[in-house]
């Protein structure tokens, strides 16, 4: 594909680049991995609120759901029902480890292709499921797809994007996650009327974006970084010129060669990740995943229909409310795409933490006062709760959602990039699994207090963003150590002694001095 020019500048004047159609098309195709992820997040909550699905796989939950005096907060409390949702993330934890090795040995592109194959297999198994075992097996295949896709796609986009546009392009991954959630909510709203197999249509729909990614991944390029890393320097230079839209890429190519040489010296990427000089990136990359999941967002995204039914909405109304929050999620993510490279990562995170804190606190207070064990919440308060949840979702969608994937994909040097991003992805999956597996039980025991539990986390993560998270806007991906970490008031101490604890067995990795 010819590098048709869309924009004329690429950010850092040392690395001239244009925003080409090659980069845009590759980004959009790769980001369909996010659409698959989002679809699976959104589809599970709607399906688990469908009576036909519950009758076939979870009959005891169906009976509890329709008991007139059943506790509002406990009607969906079932470990197997939670396992249906959370098993996907358990598989993703394991898969992301193998995906990190596949990214390094075979490249980002084949790893993305493998993700799409896992997704197709999982969608087929779920569609034809005859018992709970087949259903969980399908979810495990989908989890493998999530592990491979979430490991490869953000790295792929960060490595092909010009520094000036890296944030906005990388957030296309999160944007399609939100589109996937919205599509899932819309499909659930329609299939809930298709008795008795509407749930099969919902679960089978995951195959559509997976097939698009599988076919589209044939035409995307491999990243120059990955090509050079695997000894294909000439092809790497050719690809770099193609995606940058200019011939003057010598300085960026030399930077990639230098980073690759350092990476080769560091033969044990996981061991090097434990070195003192790697701790700032490792801590920030993994803690962001913890914070992202403990905002409480997946309470909304996984179980929105269930949550709205708990608050007294009927089945159709709860699914429709989930569609509304999904639409807010999509539109708000667009805000991040167009502002993250202008405003910066840090300001978006801090503003959103304040916004989410206010929304969660008020929702918790309303539920504590107006939703008891067996009553229905007054309709005016229920509608107000939906509005507050939309406010919460919008804040997350332009900050902690997309930036939770963007920042870890851009902060690690090449010698620890695959290993570091594996830790970030796996931490995300661990926390997602914990929330998905525990939420319905926590809702039953903590009731409205569940929202205040997440409020505490929001306070902690907002404080972290203010004081400990550096700004990475517009910094070339292979110059982060010199221009970000070594100049940060707190993290620079990890580089003062040369960056190693004992110097035994590992190569001392020194970043290339910044040129004036």
């Amino acid at each position: 594909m010819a590098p048709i020019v869309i924009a004329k500048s690429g950010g850092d004047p040392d690395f001239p680049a244009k925003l080409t159609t090659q980069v845009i098309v590759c980004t959009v195709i790769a980001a369909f991995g996010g659409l698959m992820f989002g679809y699976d997040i959104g589809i599970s909550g709607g399906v688990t609120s469908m009576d036909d699905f519950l009758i076939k796989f979870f009959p005891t939950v169906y009976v509890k759901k329709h008991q007139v005096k059943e506790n509002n907060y406990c009607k969906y409390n079932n470990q197997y029902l939670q396992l249906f949702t959370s098993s996907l993330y358990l598989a993703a934890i394991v898969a992301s480890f193998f995906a990190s090795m596949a990214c390094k040995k075979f490249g980002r592109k084949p790893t993305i292709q493998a993700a799409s194959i896992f997704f197709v297999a999982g969608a087929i198994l779920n569609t034809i499921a005859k018992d709970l075992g087949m259903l969980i097996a399908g979810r495990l295949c989908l989890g493998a797809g999530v592990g491979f896709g979430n490991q490869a796609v953000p790295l792929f986009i960060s490595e092909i994007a010009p520094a000036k546009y890296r944030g906005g392009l990388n957030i296309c991954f999160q944007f399609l996650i939100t589109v996937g959630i919205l599509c899932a909510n819309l499909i659930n709203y329609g299939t809930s009327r298709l008795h008795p197999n509407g749930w099969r249509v919902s679960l089978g729909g995951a195959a559509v974006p997976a097939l698009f990614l599988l076919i589209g991944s044939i035409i995307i390029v491999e990243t120059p970084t990955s090509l050079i890393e695997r000894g294909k320097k000439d092809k790497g230079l050719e690809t770099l010129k193609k995606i940058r839209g200019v011939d003057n890429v010598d300085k960026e190519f030399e930077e990639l060669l230098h980073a690759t040489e350092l990476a080769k010296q560091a033969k044990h990427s996981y061991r090097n990740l434990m070195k003192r000089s790697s701790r700032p990136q490792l801590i920030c990359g993994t803690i962001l995943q913890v914070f992202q999941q403990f905002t409480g967002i997946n309470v909304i995204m996984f179980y929105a229909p269930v949550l709205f039914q708990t608050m007294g909405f009927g089945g159709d109304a709860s699914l429709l409310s989930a569609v509304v929050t999904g639409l807010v999620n999509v539109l708000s993510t667009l805000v991040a795409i167009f502002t993250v490279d202008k405003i910066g990562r840090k300001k978006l995170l801090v503003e959103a933490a304040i916004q989410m804190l206010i929304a969660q606190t008020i929702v918790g207070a309303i539920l504590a006062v107006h939703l008891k064990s067996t009553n229905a919440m007054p309709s005016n308060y229920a509608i107000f709760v939906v509005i507050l949840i939309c406010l919460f979702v919008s804040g997350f969608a332009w900050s902690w959602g997309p930036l939770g994937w963007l920042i870890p994909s851009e902060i690690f040097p090449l010698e620890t990039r695959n290993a570091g991003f594996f830790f970030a992805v796996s931490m995300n999956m661990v926390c997602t699994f914990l929330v998905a597996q525990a939420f319905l039980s926590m809702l039953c025991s903590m009731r409205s207090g569940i929202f205040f539990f997440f409020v505490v986390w929001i306070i902690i993560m907002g404080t972290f963003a203010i004081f400990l998270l550096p700004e990475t806007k517009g910094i070339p991906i292979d110059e982060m150590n010199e221009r970000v970490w070594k100049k940060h008031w707190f993290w620079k101490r990890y580089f003062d002694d040369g960056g190693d604890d004992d110097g035994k067995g590992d190569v001392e990795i020194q970043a290339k001095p910044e040129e004036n």
Side-chain angles (χ1 to χ4, degrees):
M1 184 182 297
I4 301 171
V5 176
I6 303 297
K8 293 186 177 180
S9 68
D12 195 298
D14 291 338
F15 296 158
K18 299 170 182 176
L19 185 58
T20 63
T21 53
Q22 181 80 48
V23 169
I24 293 174
V25 170
C26 287
T27 296
V28 171
I29 291 174
F32 260 74
L35 195 148
M36 293 189 298
F37 183 31
Y39 187 89
D40 286 309
I41 290 175
I43 212 71
S44 58
V47 165
T48 52
S49 70
M50 295 181 187
D51 286 348
D52 293 327
F53 178 81
L54 294 176
I55 290 170
K56 184 169 183 63
F57 297 107
F58 306 98
T60 56
V61 177
Y62 172 79
V63 172
K64 289 174 65 178
K65 174 182 175 182
H66 291 278
Q67 287 178 354
V68 177
K69 293 185 179 180
E70 177 63 25
N71 190 314
N72 276 323
Y73 293 99
C74 299
K75 62 178 69 177
Y76 290 95
N77 183 23
N78 181 280
Q79 288 298 313
Y80 288 109
L81 183 62
Q82 293 175 117
L83 183 62
F84 165 72
T85 298
S86 63
S87 58
L88 184 150
Y89 305 98
L90 195 61
I93 296 168
V94 178
S96 60
F97 173 73
F98 292 101
S100 70
M101 294 189 292
C103 274
K104 185 171 184 177
K105 186 172 183 179
F106 303 110
R108 285 46 162 164
K109 179 177 175 177
T111 308
I112 292 172
Q113 290 172 325
S116 63
I117 293 171
F118 281 121
F119 268 108
V120 172
I124 292 172
L125 279 172
N126 276 345
T127 303
I128 64 174
K130 297 182 183 299
D131 53 43
L132 187 58
M134 284 186 70
L135 194 69
I136 299 299
R139 294 291 287 179
L140 292 175
C141 283
L142 292 172
V146 168
F148 273 73
N150 287 16
Q151 177 72 28
V153 172
L155 286 180
F156 174 87
I157 297 174
S158 286
E159 288 182 349
I160 66 169
K164 182 178 180 181
Y165 302 105
R166 187 177 63 242
L169 290 173
N170 197 288
I171 289 174
C172 287
F173 175 71
Q174 175 69 19
F175 175 69
L176 284 185
I177 290 178
T178 65
V179 171
I181 293 171
L182 177 60
C183 289
N185 289 335
L186 289 169
I187 289 170
N188 280 335
Y189 185 67
T191 59
S192 64
R193 295 167 171 76
L194 301 178
H195 303 290
N197 291 314
W199 60 271
R200 293 189 188 274
V201 178
S202 290
L203 294 177
V208 176
L211 288 171
F212 181 91
L213 180 64
L214 180 60
I215 296 169
S217 62
I218 296 172
I219 67 172
I220 64 176
V221 299
E222 183 57 270
T223 71
T225 299
S226 178
L227 289 168
I228 296 169
E229 189 177 31
R230 290 179 291 121
K232 302 178 181 180
K233 294 182 181 180
D234 292 340
K235 182 65 176 175
L237 178 60
E238 177 187 339
T239 302
L240 186 61
K241 290 179 179 179
K242 184 186 295 185
I243 65 175
R244 294 292 178 255
V246 297
D247 290 328
N248 182 22
V249 296
D250 293 345
K251 195 159 188 177
E252 184 174 1
F253 184 67
E254 287 298 320
E255 186 72 31
L256 290 176
L257 288 176
H258 177 71
T260 304
E261 286 303 313
L262 290 179
K264 286 181 178 178
Q265 294 174 41
K267 295 179 180 180
H268 307 287
S269 58
Y270 284 93
R271 188 192 302 173
N272 278 281
L273 192 61
M274 298 300 111
K275 292 169 60 176
R276 181 176 172 83
S277 59
S278 297
R279 288 177 194 167
Q281 305 97 310
L282 181 62
I283 291 170
C284 289
T286 53
I287 200 70
L288 279 175
Q289 308 307 312
V290 177
F291 291 151
Q292 185 195 71
Q293 297 310 309
F294 281 86
T295 57
I297 187 63
N298 281 336
V299 170
I300 308 300
M301 294 296 108
F302 287 156
Y303 299 112
V306 172
L307 190 61
F308 289 132
Q309 282 195 20
T310 294
M311 293 185 294
F313 289 82
D316 286 349
S318 67
L319 285 170
L320 185 59
S321 298
V323 169
V324 171
T325 57
L327 183 60
V328 170
N329 198 17
V330 170
L331 296 177
S332 298
T333 305
L334 286 174
V335 175
I337 290 176
F338 293 107
T339 60
V340 68
D341 289 314
K342 296 179 180 178
I343 296 177
R345 285 69 161 145
K346 193 165 181 173
K347 289 180 181 178
L348 286 175
L349 292 173
V350 173
E351 183 281 329
I354 296 170
Q355 182 173 326
M356 292 189 294
L357 175 66
I358 294 170
Q360 283 274 52
T361 302
I362 299 175
V363 168
I366 290 175
L367 294 185
V369 174
H370 296 287
L371 185 65
K372 306 303 180 183
S373 295
T374 56
N375 73 311
M377 182 185 293
S379 60
N380 57 329
Y381 283 104
I383 293 171
F384 186 43
V385 166
V386 173
I387 294 172
L388 287 168
I389 287 176
C390 287
L391 181 67
F392 171 85
V393 169
S394 66
F396 177 87
W398 63 55
S399 62
W400 293 88
L403 301 186
W405 294 109
L406 167 61
I407 294 173
S409 74
E410 64 185 4
I411 60 176
F412 290 98
L414 183 58
E415 61 265 18
T416 58
R417 189 169 300 157
N418 286 309
F421 198 63
F422 157 71
F423 272 92
V425 172
S426 59
M427 180 61 74
N428 186 287
M429 295 300 112
V430 167
C431 294
T432 306
F433 169 78
L434 291 174
V435 171
Q437 185 63 29
F439 168 66
L440 294 178
S441 298
M442 291 173 68
L443 181 65
C444 180
S445 60
M446 298 176 68
R447 303 189 181 190
S448 59
I450 187 72
F451 289 92
F452 297 109
F453 169 80
F454 291 120
V455 161
V456 173
W457 279 99
I458 293 173
I459 293 172
I460 294 170
M461 70 194 206
T463 304
F464 180 89
I466 292 172
F467 295 106
L468 293 176
L469 192 67
E471 180 57 70
T472 55
K473 179 186 72 171
I475 307 296
I477 193 169
D478 289 308
E479 295 189 3
M480 288 290 174
N481 273 3
E482 289 296 320
R483 295 171 60 173
V484 173
W485 300 105
K486 289 186 178 181
K487 295 182 179 180
H488 189 270
W489 73 271
F490 180 79
W491 300 117
K492 65 182 181 181
R493 70 189 66 187
Y494 287 85
F495 299 88
D496 289 344
D497 61 353
D500 205 348
D501 285 327
D502 54 19
K504 296 178 181 178
D506 290 323
V507 177
E508 183 83 9
I509 303 299
Q510 294 290 349
K512 182 180 179 180
E514 187 177 358
E515 297 180 14
N516 296 319

